[in-house]
Structures are given as C-alpha cells and as structure tokens.
Amino acid sequence: MREVETMTGMVIRVSPVGEMDKRLVILTRERGKIIAFARGARRPGNPLMAVSRPFAFGQFSLYEGRDSYTLRSAEITNYFDELSLDVEGTCYGSYFLELADYYARENMDGTGLLKLLYQSIRALLKPALKNELVQRIFELKAMVLNGEYTETPPCPVSDSASYAWEYVIVSPAEHLYTFTLTEPVLEEFIRCVEINKKRYVDKNFHSLEILHTMTGWKLLK
C-alpha cells in the first residue's frame, strides 16, 4: 500500500482533466511546486471538489507517483472566500498565484514563497492597504526571494521611497504589510518595482493584463 504524504500548501492553478478530474498545481512548503490529480473532483458531491480550487490553503494528503501526486484528501484552513466578493481583489489575487507559479520550482523548499503568497493574499483583504501597494510589495519580495533585485532603488527617489524599498528587502513576510505610502511616494515605489521587473522578469502574465484593463492602469514613465 502506498504511503500517504502530508504537505502544507496552497492551490495556485487548476485545470480540468477528462470528464471528472482536475489537475492541480500546489505550492507546498515541503516540496515547492507539485502537480497533483484530484480524481472525481468535478463530480457533484465529491469531497475533493471544494478543496480543488485556487487559493485553497491547508494540509494536503497525497500519494506520490512517478511524475505527479494523487490527492487523497485535504484539510483546508483558509479558502479566502472573502476575496471572491471583490472582483478587483480576485484579479489581484489571481495575478499573485500566477507570479508564484512562475517563480516556484519543484523539489525545493517552498517556505519563503508560500509565506509571502499567504500574507499577500491576506493583505488584499485589509481595507487600509491599497491594492497597488500590496501588489508592488509582493512583486519586489518575490524577486528578492529569487535573488533578482538591487539593494537600493534602481532610480533616484525620495528618502521615503528608498526606505520602503529597503524595508521590503529585509523584512519577513509577516511584517511586510505594516506600512502605507503617500500617493507621490507610492508612484516612486511603483516606478522602481517596474524597472526591476523589466530587468529580471521575462514573462507576460495574462491575469495582470486583465487587471490593467480593469483598473485602467498605465505604466508610469
């Protein structure tokens, strides 16, 4: 009988397979990014239906196969249901999942990226924080975790923007979303993160394009 492995993680991508199954990409603490198949998860009443959806965070019990896993069961501690009530917030969250998928690697410790993703989605639910700020903090910290950053801002900015940049670099995920920025400083911070992304991130994100269309965002010059 195959041994069951339990991993802590979040579902970051879901796609249908056949008539009744789902293919999940899960960012886990123990193994980084894994692929798991949820058999019968599209069948009404199947216990795997609810746990096989994006943003589901918790403990996943899996059987390991040659190239993928089979999901046996899951204990979800946070579905982030509140996010589904906010269309814009859902778009931001979907982009975070896509960026995490881009950076995550298989068979590697996923603790840092998983913590960042979890705290960033929680931050989207905080009314006091602007989604634009949450996005840029998440992007910068994801690049930092991958070693793709400069210790100081890549263009001349105010002391406040420079401090924000350095704070994000050195702070743990749990302490990232504890500050706000004035509009002028936020614009400087956004500009710096965009420069860094252009330098290091070689991918167009579909969810980000949708988000830009929805918010009418234009790249700052």
Side-chain angles (χ1 to χ4, degrees), residues 125-161:
L125 302 174
K126 296 181 179 180
L129 292 175
K130 291 184 177 180
N131 288 339
E132 296 93 334
L133 175 60
V134 176
Q135 174 191 342
R136 304 309 173 167
I137 292 174
F138 175 73
E139 290 172 331
L140 176 56
K141 194 64 175 181
M143 290 185 282
V144 169
L145 291 175
N146 206 51
E148 300 175 340
Y149 70 102
T150 56
E151 293 186 1
T152 57
C155 65
V157 293
S158 64
D159 289 344
S160 296

Side-chain angles (χ1 to χ4, degrees), residues 8-56:
T8 300
M10 180 182 292
V11 178
I12 59 175
R13 182 153 47 98
V14 178
S15 55
V17 176
E19 294 184 0
M20 293 296 175
D21 302 338
K22 288 184 179 181
R23 178 183 183 273
L24 313 179
V25 177
I26 306 173
L27 174 59
T28 71
R29 181 179 62 194
E30 296 83 359
R31 297 285 186 91
K33 182 166 64 175
I34 67 168
I35 295 172
F37 290 91
R39 307 298 182 188
R42 298 170 65 196
R43 182 181 297 113
N46 188 289
L48 297 183
M49 175 179 281
V51 305
S52 301
R53 67 190 203 191
F55 301 110

Side-chain angles (χ1 to χ4, degrees), residues 126-209:
K126 296 181 179 180
L129 292 175
K130 291 184 177 180
N131 288 339
E132 296 93 334
L133 175 60
V134 176
Q135 174 191 342
R136 304 309 173 167
I137 292 174
F138 175 73
E139 290 172 331
L140 176 56
K141 194 64 175 181
M143 290 185 282
V144 169
L145 291 175
N146 206 51
E148 300 175 340
Y149 70 102
T150 56
E151 293 186 1
T152 57
C155 65
V157 293
S158 64
D159 289 344
S160 296
S162 180
Y163 177 80
W165 180 275
E166 294 168 6
Y167 180 84
V168 171
I169 288 175
V170 302
S171 297
E174 296 86 348
H175 297 158
L176 283 176
Y177 300 102
T178 56
F179 68 92
T180 59
L181 299 175
T182 63
E183 196 63 34
V185 176
L186 176 58
E187 290 182 0
E188 290 182 305
F189 188 68
I190 289 174
R191 185 178 295 111
C192 290
V193 175
E194 281 299 314
I195 291 173
N196 208 67
K197 281 172 57 184
K198 283 188 173 182
R199 183 177 297 169
Y200 293 112
V201 180
D202 184 23
K203 177 179 171 60
N204 293 322
F205 297 93
H206 178 65
S207 54
L208 186 59
E209 293 174 357

